[in-house]
Structure formats: structure tokens, C-alpha cells
Amino acid sequence: MLEPAGDLRDGTAPTVSRRGFLKLGLTLAGMVGFLGADGRMPPPAPHRTGRANAHVSPAVLELNDGWEYGRLEEPGLWPYRGPSRYEEAVLPHTVVRLSWCDWRPERWQHLWVYRREVIADGNALAGRVFVEFAGILTGALLYVNGRFAGRHLGGYVPFEREITRFLRPGKNELAVVVDARWGQNVPPDRPRPYGPASIDYWQPGGIYREAYLRVYPQTFLAYPFARPADVLDPARRRLEVECLIDSARRTPSPVHVRAELLQGGSVISESTVRLPGLEPGRRRVHLTLASLGDVKLWDVRSPNLYDVALSLILAGRVVHRLQTRTGFREARFTREGFFLNGRRLKLFGLNRHQFYPYVGGAMPARVQRRDAEILKRELNCNMVRCSHYPQSEAFLDACDELGLMVWEEAPGWDYIGDASWRGYVLRDVRRMILRDRNHPSIVIWGTRLNETRNDPALYRRTREIARDLDGSRPTTGAVKRAPEESGGIKESRKGREEDPYSTRSFAEDVFSFNDYTRKYVRSRTGNFRLPVLRPPRVDMPYLVSEAIGAIVGPHFYRRIDTGRVQQEQAILHAAVHDRAASDERYCGLLAWSAFDYPSGHGYSFRGVKWTGVCDVFRVPKPGAAFYRAQVDPSVRPVIEPAFYWDFGPYAPPGGPGRKSTIWSNCERLEVFVGGRHFASLLPDRADFPHLEYPPFVVDLTVDGSGYPELRIDGYVRGRRVITRRFSSDPSGDRLLLKLDDDRLLADGSDMTRAYFQVVDRYGAPRYRASGRVYLHLSGPALLVGDNPFDLGANGGTGAVWIRSKKGASGRVRLVARCPLLGSSSASLYVLPAG
Ligand code: GAL
């Protein structure tokens, strides 16, 4: 029930009762956060969704559970005749169950209906009710009680509508017709006859992000923006705060808007502006928060965050309060490199796609956040590019909290459409910036779509939008023509012609190049063929936005490929980062890609692009070894061979062989084979002079017939800081099973990963292990994934996810059994939500 506690007309905010709000039994525990008797707002409840930059309004209800959905067989008859069969759905949701590979888009390319009930008390209707869908792929029509209430096209920005006038007291039906078909003339899609494989990533349909219902008073605050200014000067440092007041009616009495900067609940700075009264409509309010000399800066090492609370006060009472987060940092791209808070910092990172096994994009906050943790804590990146669309807010929240800088861009991939399509580009840029401009982690906007042809008029407008809505961040766009090829003329079989991809009129602030230059040089020691980067552009800040991928080197980096190929992935990534570090004019490099991703385009195999340094399950491959070692040994000493210590049927004779690489942040490694000292190694600084932690190269051609053990000791300043052992004897192999979390919330959406890998007796992955894993889950949760799981297809590694059930708490146990390796088990607790 939505039940306002008082008369909204005099400006009291609505409250929500605990009576059954939803047909399927949503409990509103934890959502009753309203004004206290003194008219002051109690501190906001912790964000269960991890959506730190969300509005904390009088009532924000998650609308994730209680849906049912079905396929619309006769599109023309909607809303008179819906699907003949409905199944339960909890958001985030994709319309079909998928495996981790071999996706067939024709399975989701249909129209679907999602519906659920909302029960509104009559008084609630005196407020203003909005519904928001954070992401629907790809088109959506919204109906409330069978009446059309709005339409949205495009999968990556929120769809929000006010539905107040459609609601009636009592039961209401919300229905969303989801058009999951390809080619709806909206970015990044191309029109028919191109199919979904004409761009680089599959986009399975559904309401694949969270949904919310918000109840506002008649006059409320929206679109807060807290922009730190003069950050590096403690005397002038301030926060420029703005927001919109949206008023449905005339508000005669004086109106105040108060802004507060908060840390741990206490006010550091505040400011109030008085307005003489409001006419219906929207109006922008500005406030400045000063005296911020003592705030701590946001940095990659210490990502300090502050809350900003805005209150709307009518006739002396707070009627609406919303909260966002901010961080004080200065990020500058210059022709001499990138500077964070005045300190030179080489941007070191990877590109991330948001799609996952089994569910497409439909992973909840916890799983989205995990990707940011992997990038920052396991791969030691300081930046990620959200290729090629705005990604989940939970992911961005985690980037803020972890100190992982972000490039965010509007949806697009190598195509620009007609006028209507371009209109959506403008909408997307606008919505992306309005949604995300409070994230300190975002340091640059991609206002130019990935690898698109030149379109000066379109990109002038997207830049203007960015300047208008933000103004504090530079713009960019990844291009596929190198600076020296930007002259505008292209030689082709047809002769000389205008090059549509020319960047002659590139006008964004930072020139970002997807550098897949297929040129190599022999390394100094002669051990490697290393790819080179194009020289940086000297007249503009210059960033390498992609490199390696599937284009430089072999086309696949699968665990079923040869050890040599897998090992080479780490070397190639290291080589381009080494080059980027060699010259201060490179702001840095974001390689392709962090994770494998589902795709039917180009060099895909079984519907997957194998360009990740981690696989689709987010488990690091040997290619990740380079990234894993790039961390100070005092944080974490690392020894990661990029080879498998294996003499089994797939391994080459003689074992890992010459030029085997071990990635480590130690100063010296001592290698022992079969209990005997084998080699003392120093890092290969000759071939990788600019890397902090270059690889160690060793000739590991050995006779493996007696299954010798490998032991590596790592030394820093003469002290042994780490030892790792590897067993080639398969008789000790076992199935490792690990859960990312030991707790879930019983909200029906929450999920965590359970990954398994065939490992040797010491926990190192076994090369090309095969067999089937049979999973058995007991307790109040669901298994999302293939069961049994065919290990051989991904070379001995896989994962499933565990999803909570609404309202069901208790202990969950997962047992993974592999006929030849025995079983492993792991457990977690599902805690009551709310
Ligand atoms: C790039 C493109 C990426 C990805 C990559 C393939 O050209 O920008 O999205 O397709 O190639 O490895």
C-alpha cells in the first residue's frame, strides 16, 4: 500500500505502510524512511542495492520481485490478448535461460510481456508516483491498468515515467511490453537486414536491470549535481551544487533548498537558498558549499567519498530530501600525460563488457560490483573503460569506492544511423551524464561513439550536451584511424577516396586510439616478438583506448589453446603497457579486454569472444598473470607463471619449454624442479624496461616422466616473501570450488558466483582438464547455470551463480562432484532482506 500519512497538499511527504503492497507479498520492512515528528529526515537507510547515487526520496521502492512474464505470440492484439502462459520473474531478468556459450539470438528476439500488481491507497495518489526501469533491452511500452503510459527505446539508459494519473485506488497492473528484437534503429543497433551479429556483442533482451517505484510529494527535487571546484586549492575548494525543483502546482510560501556536505552523518558544510515561491514547472537551483579546506581528496589509493544531501523545505518542513555522493579530485588529461590531483599517473587498465554467462546483462548489484573488485584488486588496474555503453550503477558505485577510474561512453559500435538514430545518441549522452555525473571515478565521457565514422555535426552536439550538463570532465571517443592516417584520404582498390573514418576534424578533448597496429619488433634479448604502438599524437592529450584483443596475436585465448598461445597473451598485454609507459605523452592504455564476452561477430568461437585476460566466468587466464603481478610486493607478493606445469596428454614434450614466463613482483626468483635447484632468475628489464614488474624468463625444458614438482621462491630485499609449488602429478588433482561471498540477502535478486576449477594438489590450474561437474544445491536458493557443467569446453574451469529466493533465509550448501576428482562443497548464509 502506498499510504500518505498526511495531506500532501500542505506539503507533508507520503509514508508507506507495512500492509501487503504487492500481490506476491513484498514486505516493506526497511522502506519506511520518512519524516520524524520534527519534520527532519532520519538518516537514510543503507542502500541494499548498492546504488549510492540514487535518489533517497520520501519513498523509493525496489520493484524487482513479483513480476510474471511471457512471450507475446500475437503482438497486434496487445493489450487485449496477452501471453497465454506466464512464468515468475525477478529483476534483473533476461527473457530466456542461456548457457554460458552458443547463444542463439533467435530465442530472445521476440516481444515479451512483464506484468505485476501494485496496490495503491487512495491517498498515495495525492503524491506523484514514478516508475523507473534502469535498463531494458531493447524497446519497451509501459501500460498501467491497460492504458498506454510511455515508451522507451534503447537498452542502456533508464526509462522513467510518471504514472500518477494512471493509478487508481486499490489494485493496479503495471505491464511492460519488451521488444527484444534486433534492429530497432537505436544505438548501437543497425537497421535490418543487418543481424545482431553485425556488432561485437550479443544483447539478450529483458528488463535486465533493476526497477524502482518512487513516491514524491507534489514538489520535489531531481537531478542533483555536486561538482567539486578548485579542488587542489584548500582555500578556494568548494562544491557547486545544483538540482531541479519539479513542481506540479503553485507553491506560494517561501521555499528553501538546503545542501549539506556530510561525512559519516555529520555536516561539514551547508548552505541554504531561499526562493520566493514556485510556479508549476521545473526550475534550476544553485548552491555553493565552501570552507572545505579539510576535506580529503578522492584518489586511486584513498578513494574518500562524501555524501551530499539536498532538502526541499516548504513552510518550514522538509518535504523531500535526496542524497548523492561526491569525491574531490582533479583529473587532467594533458599533452604530457594524465594527472590525478596534480600527480602524474599512467592510466593502466582494461575494457569491460557487462555481459555474463547464463543471464546476459541481468546480474544484480553484488555481481556487478565484483567486476570492479577484480579489476582493481586482482588485476591491479587504475582505470576501466565501460565499452561500449553506460554500465550498471552498482559497478560505478564500486569504482568510486575502490578508486578505479572510469571512462564511460554512450552506446555505439562502428555505425551511425539516420536522423532518428542520431537523436537517440543525443538522448543517450544526456541521460548518461545526468545519471552518472556524481561519480568521482568517472574521469572522461565518451561523447563520440566507438570507432564510428566522422560526423562533426553530431559530435559537436554531444560535446555541447556534456559541457552543458557537466563541464568538469573532458570528452573523447575511440577511433580506429591512427593520427598519421587522419588526413582524410584513403587509398583503396577503387583509388583515392574520402575516408569516412578520418579524424581530421576530431574535436574531442582527448584523442583516443584503438591501437591494433599489427607491427612487431624483436625484443632486445631476442626472446619475443613484441607489438609496437603508434607514436602519440603531440598536439592533443593522447590515450590508447584499446590494444591487443583478438587482432594482435592469435584470435582466441582459450584455455583449450596451446600453452604457448595463452602465455603469449600476457606478453602482448605487457608489451603495449610497457610502450605506453615509455613516453610521458601517452596518458596510458586500456587494453582489450578484461573478460571474455558473448558474441557472434568476427573471431568468435562458440558464441564467445576470447579476448579477455579473464574468461566469461571472470576467472583469470594465464594472460592475466602480467596484470596480477603489477602490485607492490608489500601489498601482496605475487608469483604467477603464465604456463601450466603439466606433462599430460595435451602438453608439449619437454614441458613448458624455452622462454617460459613467470610474472612476479619479487626482485629475484629461485626455481626448483624435482627438489633440485634449477635456476636463479632476475626480471627481464631488457625487454620490458618501463614495467614496474617485468616477467622472469626461464628455459623450462625438462623431462616430465617422473612428474617432477616445481617450486618457486620469491625474494624481496634478500628476504623470501613467497613460495609457490606446482605439481605435475595428476594423481593429486582435485576440484576446487569457491564462493565469492558467504552471505546473500533473501530479496530474490541477490546472487553470488560459485566457480570451480581442476587444480593440482597446490591449487594451480591443470591444463585442459575435462569431465563433467554435477552440482547439487541444498537450502533456500537457486542455481543459475549449466548443470552438469562440461569442464572440457572451457579447459577445466567454470562457474555457476547462486541466487537467493525472496523471503527465504538459511544455510545454503553447494556440492560439486566430478566423477574422477571427487567432490567439493561450499556454503553460505542467506540473510533476511530489509
Ligand atoms: C575493436 C572494437 C572492440 C572489439 C575489438 C575486438 O575494434 O572497438 O569493440 O570489437 O575490436 O577485439
Side-chain angles (χ1 to χ4, degrees):
M1 292 262 168
L2 303 177
E3 249 183 60
D7 181 358
L8 284 170
R9 273 153 300 191
D10 70 17
T12 314
T15 58
V16 179
S17 87
R18 281 175 185 263
R19 273 182 279 152
F21 169 59
L22 304 169
K23 194 175 111 198
L24 297 174
L26 173 73
T27 324
L28 291 174
M31 295 186 178
V32 193
F34 292 105
L35 306 183
D38 60 354
R40 286 189 77 92
M41 190 72 188
H47 296 278
R48 297 190 311 141
T49 56
R51 204 185 192 218
N53 279 291
H55 301 229
V56 175
S57 62
V60 182
L61 308 178
E62 285 175 11
L63 263 194
N64 293 333
D65 68 322
W67 293 89
E68 40 182 33
Y69 84 109
R71 181 167 155 198
L72 195 58
E73 291 93 6
E74 292 176 81
L77 288 178
W78 177 262
Y80 308 103
R81 192 184 306 156
S84 48
R85 213 164 56 85
Y86 283 94
E87 280 176 56
E88 275 185 31
V90 182
L91 311 184
H93 185 261
T94 287
V95 290
V96 285
R97 278 196 202 121
L98 300 160
S99 176
W100 64 272
C101 60
D102 293 328
W103 293 359
R104 287 189 291 114
E106 59 278 14
R107 291 186 53 224
W108 67 75
Q109 304 251 347
H110 304 285
L111 292 168
W112 306 79
V113 177
Y114 287 74
R115 65 174 190 194
R116 68 167 285 169
E117 212 164 74
V118 174
I119 300 173
D121 183 283
N123 286 332
L125 310 177
R128 296 176 65 184
V129 182
F130 290 75
V131 62
E132 180 198 329
F133 297 92
I136 299 178
L137 273 164
T138 296
L141 302 175
L142 173 68
Y143 292 84
V144 182
N145 298 324
R147 287 166 66 203
F148 176 69
R151 135 195 350 259
H152 179 85
L153 204 52
Y156 300 94
V157 293
F159 168 32
E160 188 183 26
R161 281 291 175 282
E162 179 165 6
I163 56 167
T164 319
R165 69 191 168 94
F166 299 99
L167 291 175
R168 53 185 183 224
K171 282 187 186 173
N172 291 271
E173 188 197 61
L174 286 188
V176 185
V177 180
V178 170
D179 190 341
R181 293 171 301 182
W182 163 265
Q184 297 183 60
N185 207 30
V186 66
D189 295 14
R190 298 161 191 228
R192 296 182 191 99
Y194 294 102
S198 61
I199 69 164
D200 194 44
Y201 39 96
W202 293 132
Q203 305 171 83
I207 308 185
Y208 79 100
R209 287 182 180 159
E210 289 77 5
Y212 305 91
L213 198 67
R214 301 207 196 101
V215 187
Y216 290 150
Q218 290 295 332
T219 302
F220 64 91
L221 303 173
Y223 301 116
F225 182 32
R227 185 171 63 81
D230 286 324
V231 166
L232 298 189
D233 178 351
R236 299 182 55 212
R237 183 183 302 148
R238 62 196 185 280
L239 197 62
E240 299 290 357
V241 183
E242 65 168 70
C243 69
L244 285 184
I245 304 184
D246 187 317
S247 198
R249 52 173 69 139
R250 253 189 103 237
T251 312
S253 56
V255 174
H256 291 92
V257 176
R258 183 169 68 225
E260 294 164 324
L261 184 69
L262 304 160
Q263 190 182 30
S266 32
V267 179
I268 296 176
S269 175
E270 66 180 306
S271 171
T272 303
V273 63
R274 181 179 188 278
L275 308 167
L278 298 169
E279 291 305 317
R282 286 175 157 193
R283 135 171 218 173
R284 219 185 260 227
V285 193
H286 287 269
L287 297 108
T288 301
L289 295 179
S291 309
L292 303 180
D294 290 339
V295 302
K296 297 207 180 89
L297 300 189
W298 183 95
D299 205 287
V300 287
R301 285 194 215 131
S302 43
N304 294 299
L305 293 169
Y306 293 84
D307 291 321
V308 181
L310 283 160
S311 306
L312 176 66
I313 304 158
L314 300 184
R317 304 191 65 176
V318 176
V319 297
H320 184 206
R321 182 153 149 132
L322 56 85
Q323 191 162 312
T324 186
R325 238 174 22 178
T326 192
F328 294 82
R329 93 280 180 285
E330 188 205 72
R332 260 187 332 119
F333 291 81
T334 78
R335 286 182 291 171
E336 289 79 43
F338 175 79
F339 295 82
L340 184 64
N341 299 331
R343 180 171 61 94
R344 177 187 292 285
L345 186 65
K346 192 62 78 175
L347 298 172
F348 177 79
L350 288 156
N351 283 260
R352 177 216 186 210
H353 266 302
Q354 71 175 17
F355 294 97
Y356 290 84
Y358 314 125
V359 299
M363 279 295 183
R366 185 190 302 277
V367 181
Q368 302 280 347
R369 297 173 66 92
R370 177 83 198 157
D371 271 8
E373 284 162 18
I374 293 170
L375 283 156
K376 174 82 190 202
R377 296 197 175 135
E378 293 179 30
L379 304 176
N380 303 307
C381 293
N382 60 28
M383 185 161 178
V384 57
R385 174 171 172 223
C386 293
S387 50
H388 299 296
Y389 36 74
Q391 301 192 352
S392 135
E393 288 172 84
F395 177 75
L396 299 172
D397 286 340
C399 292
D400 290 345
E401 290 157 25
L402 291 162
L404 180 64
M405 289 182 284
V406 176
W407 155 332
E408 189 169 45
E409 65 193 27
W413 198 84
D414 192 26
Y415 170 79
I416 296 181
D418 60 14
S420 151
W421 196 100
R422 292 199 299 271
Y424 284 117
V425 175
L426 304 181
R427 189 268 327 249
D428 286 345
V429 170
R430 179 179 300 282
R431 295 294 312 183
M432 167 178 83
I433 295 177
L434 283 174
R435 195 192 75 166
D436 292 334
R437 58 190 173 169
N438 287 308
H439 289 282
S441 56
I442 297 177
V443 293
I444 196 161
W445 297 120
T447 55
R448 181 184 174 113
L449 311 184
N450 181 59
E451 294 196 350
T452 40
R453 62 188 155 81
N454 210 6
D455 189 333
L458 174 65
Y459 292 140
R460 185 176 321 115
R461 293 184 66 191
T462 57
R463 285 196 308 278
E464 277 164 11
I465 291 169
R467 199 174 322 122
D468 200 40
L469 296 176
D470 177 0
S472 70
R473 292 171 175 93
T475 59
T476 192
V479 300
K480 61 178 175 183
R481 287 285 180 270
E484 68 271 22
E485 297 171 328
S486 302
I489 301 295
K490 180 173 87 159
E491 305 278 350
S492 76
R493 258 177 292 150
K494 287 187 242 151
R496 284 163 67 78
E497 55 182 342
E498 188 64 33
D499 176 6
Y501 291 93
S502 147
T503 52
R504 201 162 31 164
S505 54
F506 187 97
E508 285 67 32
D509 301 311
V510 177
F511 192 88
S512 295
F513 179 46
N514 289 350
D515 193 336
Y516 291 107
T517 310
R518 285 170 228 208
K519 260 213 214 139
Y520 296 84
V521 290
R522 211 12 86 209
S523 74
R524 277 196 211 146
T525 62
N527 279 342
F528 306 108
R529 260 176 88 235
L530 302 179
V532 297
L533 290 178
R534 299 276 182 156
R537 196 167 158 161
V538 292
D539 57 338
M540 297 186 76
Y542 186 87
L543 175 64
V544 182
S545 34
E546 292 180 27
I548 307 303
I551 297 178
V552 174
H555 298 142
F556 306 120
Y557 295 107
R558 299 166 300 191
R559 285 201 185 79
I560 56 169
D561 285 309
T562 64
R564 191 192 57 75
V565 162
Q566 296 186 61
Q567 188 161 192
E568 190 178 11
Q569 192 189 19
I571 290 288
L572 296 175
H573 278 253
V576 289
H577 279 292
D578 180 71
R579 300 256 160 195
S582 72
D583 187 326
E584 288 185 342
R585 291 171 303 177
Y586 291 108
C587 288
L589 183 140
L590 310 167
W592 192 267
S593 56
F595 309 111
D596 290 346
Y597 54 97
S599 168
H601 181 89
Y603 299 124
S604 58
F605 171 80
R606 298 202 63 184
V608 173
K609 279 259 172 127
W610 304 79
T611 55
V613 295
C614 299
D615 64 15
V616 278
F617 304 107
R618 280 57 185 158
V619 180
K621 303 182 199 170
F626 150 65
Y627 290 94
R628 296 172 83 184
Q630 304 307 305
V631 60
D632 193 296
S634 66
V635 175
R636 183 166 62 242
V638 177
I639 291 177
E640 280 300 333
F643 53 82
Y644 299 88
W645 184 245
D646 192 84
F647 300 93
Y650 297 110
R658 294 172 57 227
K659 303 175 202 168
S660 293
T661 41
I662 304 167
W663 292 90
S664 173
N665 49 6
C666 296
E667 288 163 3
R668 173 170 55 92
L669 298 181
E670 298 296 342
V671 179
F672 301 81
V673 173
R676 288 232 181 94
H677 187 261
F678 187 82
S680 287
L681 306 176
L682 294 176
D684 177 6
R685 294 207 184 277
D687 292 338
F688 301 90
H690 309 285
L691 288 185
E692 190 88 38
Y693 304 108
F696 294 73
V697 185
V698 56
D699 181 351
L700 271 178
T701 311
V702 288
D703 170 14
S705 52
Y707 291 131
E709 240 182 58
L710 171 70
R711 185 181 116 202
I712 309 171
D713 292 346
Y715 288 80
V716 175
R717 270 179 248 109
R719 224 167 51 85
R720 190 172 65 170
V721 293
I722 177 174
T723 291
R724 284 201 64 191
R725 290 190 161 80
F726 305 83
S727 169
S728 57
D729 177 0
S731 70
D733 286 2
R734 63 195 164 94
L735 186 68
L736 174 90
L737 173 68
K738 271 208 163 153
L739 306 182
D740 282 343
D741 298 276
D742 55 10
R743 267 139 233 252
L744 283 181
L745 287 181
D747 62 2
S749 300
D750 202 4
M751 284 167 83
T752 189
R753 176 178 66 156
Y755 70 91
F756 35 85
Q757 186 161 44
V758 180
V759 294
D760 70 14
R761 70 178 77 237
Y762 300 115
R766 173 67 64 219
Y767 182 46
R768 293 197 63 175
S770 56
R772 282 178 165 220
V773 175
Y774 296 86
L775 297 149
H776 177 75
L777 185 96
S778 52
L782 300 168
L783 196 74
V784 178
D786 291 356
N787 187 15
F789 185 96
D790 172 14
L791 275 174
N794 190 40
T797 306
V800 293
W801 274 261
I802 297 174
R803 184 176 198 155
S804 70
K805 286 184 189 165
K806 174 83 190 163
S809 51
R811 181 160 182 262
V812 172
R813 183 156 184 264
L814 180 67
V815 179
R817 188 172 54 80
C818 195
L820 293 176
L821 298 168
S823 41
S824 301
S825 69
S827 42
L828 56 76
Y829 281 91
V830 185
L831 305 175

